[in-house]
Amino acid sequence: VVELSNEIRDLEYAERREIIQILIDFTNDIRPYLPDLFMSQEFLSTIDFIRAKALFAIRIEAIRPQLKNGQIFDWREARHPLLYLAHKLEQKEIVPLTFHLDGKIRILLISGPNAGGKSVCLKTIGLLQYMLQCGLLVPCKEESLFGIFAGMFIDIGDEQSIDNDQSTYSSHLLNMKFFIKHAAADTLILIDEFGTGTEPLLGGAIAESILEQMNQSGTCGIITTHYTNLKHYATSAEGIVNGAMLFDNQQMQPLYQLQVGKPGSSFAFEIARKIGLPEEVLSNASEKVGKDHIDFDKHLREILRDKKYWEGKRQKIRQSEKKLEELMARYESELLESEKQRKAIVKEAKIKADDMLTSANKKIEQTIREIKEAEAEKERTKVVRKELDLFKEKLEVDKGKEE
């Protein structure tokens, strides 16, 4: 058994030496072609990358939008690609994003209720802009217009660090310090939950000062917040516009639609009431907040409610106008057709009248000729005149029918 085992081991070593020799010979054969092989490898990698981008674009129904070498947003029905794929598996509809920013309005301040879609909206903008500038197609309408940015500064999520003794707020402040230092007209800033992480009054004041500084630098940005003082500042400051994530306060659920132009309400009391927080606690909280703040939030809700109502009215008016235009087009078409038919009938009637007139003239000439031929025969003349009178009566009857 030992001898057999040793023989097997020798055969294994011989097999390994043979394999190594085959690989050496093969390597020596292909060594002259190494540059071509490396070039082919690079080419195949590029083709595989392009194919992967194309397949992913097909999955998310992406297109190549219009491009402009400038800092501008004119997006139509943009969708978050990963959210789109997740909803597609669950057979759910995704709410698209449509908004516009240009040189005059450069910073969009989005407010609204929790879980209303503010962060998703912010991440959608950042992801699609980055995808486009990396050479990927993006899911949106073909008439969408994308700008180009030299840099993108992002502050999303909690970046606290135990190792570096950084709290959530201090990590945000470090990011803000970097943003203020490097922000320029050709950069894009994306900030989620701006100013949170510390005492609200102080945090709101610092956030407003940072926002003012970034606005003066001419940078573009999308910022989400709950702070009322920032909403007030965006209302009066040039270059900044408020935006709101819409909320259905009747069914108490978010609509995930971005509306640019008006600030959004956080609906904190309504959401707390829906969850089931005691009414006594809510009443006490309302007294602590103060009537002015409650009234401001109430007015925001009323504005959003009225906006939704008038949007519905405007949509109905548009539908009515469309139906009216269709009816007018149909009536015009029918009027033209009836006018053509009238002209055809008149033309046909004139032809028949001409035929009748020609026939009458022939009949009169024939009657005169018969009277002359009959000479003085009174009976024959009476018969001919009677036939002429009958012909006239028939002619009058035919004429009445034509009319």
Side-chain angles (χ1 to χ4, degrees):
V1 173
V2 172
E3 292 179 358
L4 290 174
S5 178
N6 290 336
E7 184 178 357
I8 290 174
R9 183 63 58 85
D10 290 338
L11 290 173
E12 290 176 350
Y13 287 149
E15 181 186 19
R16 185 177 300 174
R17 288 193 297 271
E18 185 65 24
I19 291 173
I20 293 173
Q21 186 61 43
I22 292 172
L23 292 176
I24 291 173
D25 293 341
F26 180 71
T27 304
N28 291 331
D29 288 340
I30 67 173
R31 185 171 286 109
Y33 307 103
L34 284 180
D36 295 335
L37 290 174
F38 286 132
M39 186 182 300
S40 299
Q41 180 191 20
E42 183 178 358
F43 173 75
L44 288 175
S45 300
T46 303
I47 292 299
D48 184 63
F49 177 57
I50 295 173
R51 180 175 179 272
K53 291 197 299 181
L55 291 175
F56 183 66
I58 293 173
R59 285 185 61 197
I60 62 176
E61 298 183 9
I63 55 94
R64 182 186 184 276
Q66 302 177 38
L67 298 178
K68 183 177 181 180
N69 188 17
Q71 290 67 54
I72 188 172
F73 289 93
D74 191 6
W75 293 12
R76 311 291 174 85
E77 298 187 14
R79 304 180 302 275
H80 192 294
L82 302 182
L83 187 63
Y84 170 76
L85 293 177
H87 282 204
K88 189 176 182 180
L89 291 175
E90 299 175 3
Q91 295 183 348
K92 293 168 58 179
E93 291 291 332
I94 187 172
V95 180
L97 174 65
T98 299
F99 75 106
H100 176 83
L101 292 179
D102 53 23
K104 295 181 180 179
I105 304 297
R106 295 171 285 98
I107 298 178
L108 174 62
L109 188 72
I110 304 176
S111 52
N114 289 312
K118 298 190 301 296
S119 297
V120 174
C121 177
L122 184 69
K123 292 176 181 179
T124 301
I125 295 171
L127 181 58
L128 294 191
Q129 186 66 41
Y130 194 70
M131 285 175 61
L132 182 77
Q133 296 195 201
C134 288
L136 294 168
L137 302 180
V138 291
C140 63
K141 289 289 186 180
E142 293 183 359
E143 56 267 23
S144 298
L145 178 61
F146 277 64
I148 304 296
F149 295 90
M152 295 176 63
F153 302 154
I154 302 174
D155 182 63
I156 299 176
D158 187 0
E159 297 182 8
Q160 63 176 330
S161 174
I162 299 176
D163 297 335
N164 298 329
D165 294 329
Q166 287 185 4
S167 66
T168 299
Y169 187 64
S170 61
S171 65
H172 286 314
L173 286 182
L174 286 175
N175 289 336
M176 295 304 105
K177 176 184 175 182
F178 182 85
F179 292 178
I180 292 174
K181 183 178 179 181
H182 296 90
D186 58 352
T187 56
L188 175 63
I189 293 177
L190 304 173
I191 304 175
D192 193 23
E193 300 295 344
F194 190 35
T196 57
T198 188
E199 198 275 321
L201 185 61
L202 300 179
I206 294 175
E208 184 174 341
S209 299
I210 293 173
L211 179 59
E212 183 179 1
Q213 188 70 26
M214 289 190 296
N215 187 30
Q216 291 175 0
S217 68
T219 187
C220 295
I222 314 294
I223 300 173
T224 67
T225 187
H226 286 285
Y227 284 175
T228 303
N229 65 308
L230 296 181
K231 302 176 189 178
H232 285 298
Y233 175 73
T235 303
S236 58
E238 294 185 1
I240 307 178
V241 65
N242 275 302
M245 301 304 298
L246 300 183
F247 189 84
D248 190 344
N249 55 355
Q250 294 181 351
Q251 300 184 6
M252 296 305 298
Q253 62 183 15
L255 300 176
Y256 306 110
Q257 295 178 0
L258 173 64
Q259 179 188 23
V260 178
K262 297 289 183 182
S265 170
S266 296
F267 291 93
F269 284 89
E270 287 76 6
I271 294 174
R273 187 172 286 109
K274 180 185 178 182
I275 291 174
L277 212 61
E279 194 64 35
E280 181 181 355
V281 175
L282 295 178
S283 300
N284 191 18
S286 299
E287 294 176 0
K288 291 180 181 296
V289 170
K291 186 176 183 300
D292 292 340
H293 191 86
I294 295 296
D295 289 343
F296 177 76
D297 209 52
K298 180 182 177 182
H299 292 328
L300 284 180
R301 294 195 301 271
E302 290 175 353
I303 290 172
L304 293 175
R305 181 196 61 199
D306 294 342
K307 179 74 173 179
K308 183 179 178 182
Y309 173 78
W310 290 114
E311 284 289 343
K313 286 289 186 182
R314 185 169 65 176
Q315 186 66 24
K316 290 181 180 179
I317 291 173
R318 286 178 179 173
Q319 293 175 355
S320 300
E321 288 179 347
K322 185 177 180 182
K323 291 181 180 179
L324 182 60
E325 290 175 356
E326 292 176 353
L327 286 173
M328 289 177 63
R330 191 178 72 185
Y331 288 153
E332 288 179 0
S333 177
E334 292 178 354
L335 183 62
L336 291 174
E337 185 66 25
S338 63
E339 183 68 20
K340 289 180 181 178
Q341 293 178 358
R342 187 187 69 81
K343 290 181 178 179
I345 292 172
V346 170
K347 183 178 179 180
E348 184 179 357
K350 287 182 177 180
I351 293 173
K352 289 184 177 180
D354 292 340
D355 293 341
M356 291 171 62
L357 184 59
T358 303
S359 176
N361 291 331
K362 289 181 179 179
K363 184 67 176 178
I364 292 171
E365 291 176 357
Q366 182 181 358
T367 303
I368 293 172
R369 187 172 58 254
E370 289 180 357
I371 291 174
K372 288 180 177 180
E373 290 175 355
E375 292 179 351
E377 294 181 9
K378 293 182 179 181
E379 294 296 329
R380 177 61 179 165
T381 302
K382 290 180 181 180
V383 171
V384 173
R385 288 185 180 278
K386 187 176 181 180
E387 291 178 356
L388 182 59
D389 292 336
L390 291 173
F391 178 76
K392 285 182 179 181
E393 291 178 2
K394 182 181 178 183
L395 192 64
E396 291 292 336
V397 171
D398 292 340
K399 184 178 179 182
K401 290 182 179 180
E402 290 296 332
E403 291 176 354

